[in-house]
């Protein structure tokens, strides 16, 4: 059976790194389109190149827009991921080079070269995808699946705006463009990632039993781990990895809810919130398959494989 083909839009970032390691263990990665988000674009592009080096791959890396579509963000996530996005470990300059092609253009080209074959896995603020859609509104017709890590479906966010999740809150206009354009996508929200955090002792055993990928991740994860502990967050929260698991194997999902999801753009306290029409009051078609429950053991097995742990 042939592996699925993934085009990954990412802003590495520690949790992006684990998700990308999972993708290489289970799929054919045709490209990494890179956005600003967790940290600035120069760092996220360099981190993507570092991951390509780690995997010994020839995956092209495409740099995207250095900021949101409209308003500059109030915060990034460097206080979680380290100022360089990879825990300030100080990795050497990667040998893999970034491509000359802009991320939005690469998304359009690759979906034309592989029509109906690519799973587009969106782990970052949705700026690159929104730009691509503005250039070519027919993009959704060429994408086999869109899997989005973003949102907080009952308002338990993780930004300065109480209900907002980071990826959507960083560029709400971009999320609005994408959610309006795609007739259907899988949504893995922040709240789901909290429900499926790994026990710290268990995760440490996987790191100890793994190969060079585990050694790498153990290094970059230190800053984020310390931050989560300082905020009272229990366990290892693997947000992007959860989305990647759904992208790799949709059958891992045991319960989902099809609902219309929109993005609040104007609220003083709620800008960037994902608004779910749970009761169907807007009478608009459901655009999001919201993942509510999945097979935790199969998710864990995917992560272990990505780390080289038995």
């Amino acid at each position: 059976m042939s592996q699925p083909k993934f085009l990954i839009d990412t802003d590495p970032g520690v949790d992006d790194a684990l998700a990308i390691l999972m993708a290489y263990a289970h799929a054919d990665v045709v490209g990494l389109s890179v956005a600003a988000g967790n940290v600035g674009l120069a760092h996220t592009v360099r981190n993507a190149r570092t991951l390509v080096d780690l995997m010994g791959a020839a995956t092209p890396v495409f740099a995207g827009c250095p900021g949101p579509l409209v308003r500059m963000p109030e915060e990034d996530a460097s206080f979680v991921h380290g100022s360089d996005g990879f825990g300030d470990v100080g990795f050497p300059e990667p040998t893999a080079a970034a491509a000359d092609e802009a991320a939005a253009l690469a998304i359009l080209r690759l979906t034309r070269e592989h029509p109906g074959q690519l799973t587009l896995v969106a782990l970052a603020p949705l700026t690159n995808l929104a730009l691509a859609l503005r250039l070519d509104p027919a993009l959704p017709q060429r994408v086999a699946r869109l899997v989005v890590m973003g949102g907080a479906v009952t308002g338990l966010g993780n930004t300065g705006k109480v209900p907002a999740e980071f990826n959507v809150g960083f560029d709400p206009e971009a999320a609005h463009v994408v959610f309006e354009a795609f007739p259907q996508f899988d949504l893995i929200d922040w709240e789901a990632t909290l429900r499926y955090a790994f026990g710290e002792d268990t995760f440490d055993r996987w790191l100890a039993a793994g190969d060079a990928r585990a050694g790498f991740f153990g290094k970059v994860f230190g800053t984020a781990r310390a931050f989560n502990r300082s905020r009272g967050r229990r366990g290892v929260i693997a947000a992007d990895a959860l989305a990647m698991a759904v992208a790799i194997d949709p059958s891992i999902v045991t319960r989902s809810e099809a609902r219309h999801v929109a993005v609040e753009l104007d609220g003083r306290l709620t800008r960037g919130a994902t608004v779910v029409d749970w009761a169907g009051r807007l009478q608009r078609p459901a655009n999001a398959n919201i993942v509510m429950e999945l097979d935790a053991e199969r998710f864990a097995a995917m992560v272990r494989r990505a780390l080289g742990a038995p």
Side-chain angles (χ1 to χ4, degrees):
M1 182 176 178
S2 60
Q3 289 186 317
K5 294 181 183 293
F6 285 1
L7 174 56
I8 304 172
D9 194 66
T10 179
D11 60 335
V14 174
D15 53 341
D16 299 75
L18 181 57
I20 291 168
L21 294 180
M22 289 173 64
Y24 277 110
H26 295 88
D28 176 12
V29 182
V30 303
L32 300 175
S33 58
V34 183
N38 285 321
V39 288
L41 187 68
H43 288 305
T44 56
V45 169
R46 175 178 170 143
N47 293 345
R49 293 166 54 216
T50 296
L51 288 165
V52 170
D53 276 3
L54 174 67
M55 298 308 301
T59 310
V61 174
F62 306 102
C65 190
L69 293 181
V70 180
R71 302 187 197 176
M72 291 307 295
E74 296 178 8
E75 60 182 358
D76 63 13
S78 58
F79 56 92
V80 179
H81 298 267
S83 61
D84 69 353
F86 268 3
D88 296 320
V89 173
F91 292 108
E93 178 68 19
T95 60
D100 291 334
E101 189 175 17
L105 298 178
I107 290 169
L108 296 178
R109 176 180 59 80
L110 288 168
T111 56
R112 289 170 183 147
E113 291 176 358
H114 305 276
Q117 300 175 35
L118 294 182
T119 296
L120 184 52
V121 188
L123 306 177
L126 292 166
T127 315
N128 290 336
L129 273 66
L131 287 170
L133 283 162
R134 285 298 188 242
L135 291 169
D136 182 0
L139 170 64
Q141 300 170 25
R142 301 192 300 273
V143 175
R145 290 176 67 209
L146 171 63
V147 179
V148 175
M149 192 279 127
V153 298
T154 67
L156 181 61
N158 62 342
T159 73
K161 294 287 190 293
V162 174
E165 175 274 335
F166 179 81
N167 282 346
V168 174
F170 187 89
D171 194 345
E173 283 77 16
H176 167 75
V177 168
V178 173
F179 288 7
E180 289 286 305
F182 275 83
Q184 190 174 71
F185 56 91
D186 294 328
L187 184 69
I188 296 83
D189 83 312
W190 170 249
E191 296 167 28
T193 69
L194 295 177
R195 293 194 296 273
Y196 288 93
F198 298 115
E200 296 217 22
D201 292 343
T202 297
F203 199 84
D204 283 340
R205 287 195 297 270
W206 298 346
L207 291 178
D211 58 20
R213 293 168 291 178
F216 169 86
F217 190 76
K219 291 177 182 177
V220 302
F221 187 42
T223 299
R225 193 171 207 177
F227 173 81
N228 285 333
R229 286 171 175 165
S230 74
R231 297 294 291 268
R233 293 175 180 164
R234 299 178 61 184
V236 175
I237 302 167
D240 291 335
L242 192 71
M244 187 60 71
V246 174
I248 291 166
D249 184 0
S251 72
I252 197 174
V253 178
T254 57
R255 185 169 75 90
S256 63
E257 298 284 349
R259 295 289 188 275
H260 183 78
V261 178
V263 180
E264 173 58 51
L265 301 178
D266 300 315
R268 181 174 63 87
L269 299 177
T270 58
R271 173 172 159 79
T274 40
V275 180
V276 182
D277 186 11
W278 291 110
R281 294 173 182 170
L282 300 179
Q283 298 185 342
R284 297 193 62 185
N287 56 350
N289 296 312
I290 304 169
V291 172
M292 305 301 293
E293 297 175 5
L294 52 76
D295 188 323
E297 290 186 5
R298 289 168 65 187
F299 174 37
M302 290 182 191
V303 173
R304 289 199 307 271
R305 180 176 173 184
L307 296 171

